[in-house]
Amino acid sequence: MPEDTVGRLRGKVAIVTGASRGIGQAIAVRFAREGAQVIAAARNADDLAETAAMGAGRIVTQRCDVQKATDVQALITRAVDEYGALDVLVNNAGIAVQKLLVDTTEEDWELTMDTNVKGTFWGLKFAIPVMKAGGSIVNIGSVNSFAGEQTSSAYVTSKGAVLLLTKNAAAETAHLGIRVNIVCPGSTETQMSRAYFEAAMGSADAADTFTRTFAPLTGMIPPEDIASAALFLASDESKSMTGSSMLVDGGLLASWDHVTPH
Ligand code: NAP
C-alpha cells in the first residue's frame, strides 16, 4: 500500500460495515490510506482478516451482524472505548435477493429489510449519540434508491427506504453538526453484482459489455470509485453537505434512452 499522500481523514476514527469484501473493503482500505483508524466489520472473520492485511496497521476488525442491535452497539462502543471517538460511520453492509415479487418469501423480505434497512437504522441510532460536531455518516444506497428493477422488489424497496432514512437522519442531526449522506452506486464489480449477472445472464463474463450499454462511461464500476465518493462525504471537504445523495453510476440514470444507437 502506498504511503499517505494527502491524509484526508488523518486523526479520524471510522467504522465501515460490510468491509470484508467488495465496496466496503475498498472503502476501509481507502480510509486507512487517508490516515483514518478504521474498524472493519462484517460476519466472516477470515474475510475480514484479508481487509486488515491491506490496511498497513490502521485497520482492526470486529465481527458484527448488522441485523442485531447488540452487535452494532458493541461495534460503536469499541470505537469510543478504544480510540476515544467515532468520527465516521459507513453503513455499507447489504444483501440482495433476486426474485420476482410474486416469488419473494417472507423470509427473503425480512432478511433484506433487516440487513439493509434495520442494519442502517441501528448504525444511525447508536452512532448519533456518541458523535461530536463534525461527525459524518455515509450510507450506501443504490441506483435502486431511485428506480425499480425486475426481480429485485425487496432490494429496491430497502434501498428506497435507506435514501429517505438518510434524509430524515440528516434533518434530525444538522443542529448537532453531524452530517448524514448517501452514496448510490450503479453496477459495481463485486461478488454481489457477479451473482446478479450470473443469475440474469447465466455468466458474469459479459457483465462489463452488457453494462456498458446502460452506463457508457464506465461499464462495471470499480469498487475504488465508490470508495472515492464515500471518502469525499466522510471528509471535511463535504462539510456543507447533509441529506445529499451522490450517484456513482456511470451515467445509468442520466437518461431513459440508453439503447439508442449513436
Ligand atoms: P458484497 O460483495 O456482497 O459484500 C457485502 C458485504 O456486506 C460483505 O462484507 C458481507 O460480509 C457484508 N454483510 C452482509 N450481510 C451482513 C450482515 N448481516 N452484517 C454484517 N455484514 C454483512 O456486496 P457489495 O457489492 O460490496 O455491496 C456493498 C453495498 O453496496 C451493499 O449495501 C449493496 O447493496 C450496495 N450496492 C452494490 C452494488 C453493486 O453493483 N455491487 C450496486 C449498488 C449498491 P459477511 O458476509 O462476512 O457478513
Side-chain angles (χ1 to χ4, degrees), residues 17-24 41-44 47 64-67 92-95 115-116 140-143 155 159 185-193:
T17 69
S20 58
R21 58 175 189 266
I23 290 171
R43 292 165 303 177
N44 186 303
D47 291 349
C64 170
D65 182 343
V66 297
Q67 298 174 88
N92 164 78
I95 58 144
T115 308
N116 299 359
I140 303 297
S142 167
V143 285
Y155 181 76
K159 290 298 178 177
S187 293
T188 306
E189 180 60 55
T190 69
Q191 187 170 308
M192 179 186 284
S193 60

Side-chain angles (χ1 to χ4, degrees), residues 208-219:
D208 193 60
T209 313
F210 178 77
T211 309
R212 221 164 262 285
T213 316
F214 304 100
L217 181 68
T218 54

Side-chain angles (χ1 to χ4, degrees), residues 10-135:
R10 185 162 292 141
K12 293 192 190 283
V13 178
I15 289 175
V16 183
T17 69
S20 58
R21 58 175 189 266
I23 290 171
Q25 182 178 70
I27 293 172
V29 171
R30 184 71 192 277
F31 281 15
R33 191 174 290 173
E34 294 290 342
Q37 171 60 55
V38 177
I39 306 178
R43 292 165 303 177
N44 186 303
D46 292 339
D47 291 349
L48 277 173
E50 273 181 37
T51 304
M54 297 161 81
R58 287 207 200 98
I59 300 180
V60 296
T61 65
Q62 180 148 332
R63 287 187 67 187
C64 170
D65 182 343
V66 297
Q67 298 174 88
K68 297 182 183 158
T70 47
D71 278 20
V72 179
Q73 195 162 24
L75 180 65
I76 284 160
T77 301
R78 178 174 177 192
V80 178
D81 288 355
E82 213 167 302
Y83 300 104
L86 176 64
D87 302 296
V88 176
L89 168 66
V90 182
N91 288 309
N92 164 78
I95 58 144
V97 172
Q98 288 165 60
K99 285 186 183 171
L100 288 172
L101 188 152
V102 292
D103 296 329
T104 300
T105 63
E106 186 174 9
E107 195 184 16
D108 297 330
W109 185 267
E110 287 181 348
L111 180 65
T112 307
M113 295 303 157
D114 284 358
T115 308
N116 299 359
V117 186
K118 197 160 78 176
T120 303
F121 163 70
W122 290 139
L124 290 161
K125 179 177 168 64
F126 297 122
I128 289 166
V130 303
M131 272 188 165
K132 299 202 171 75

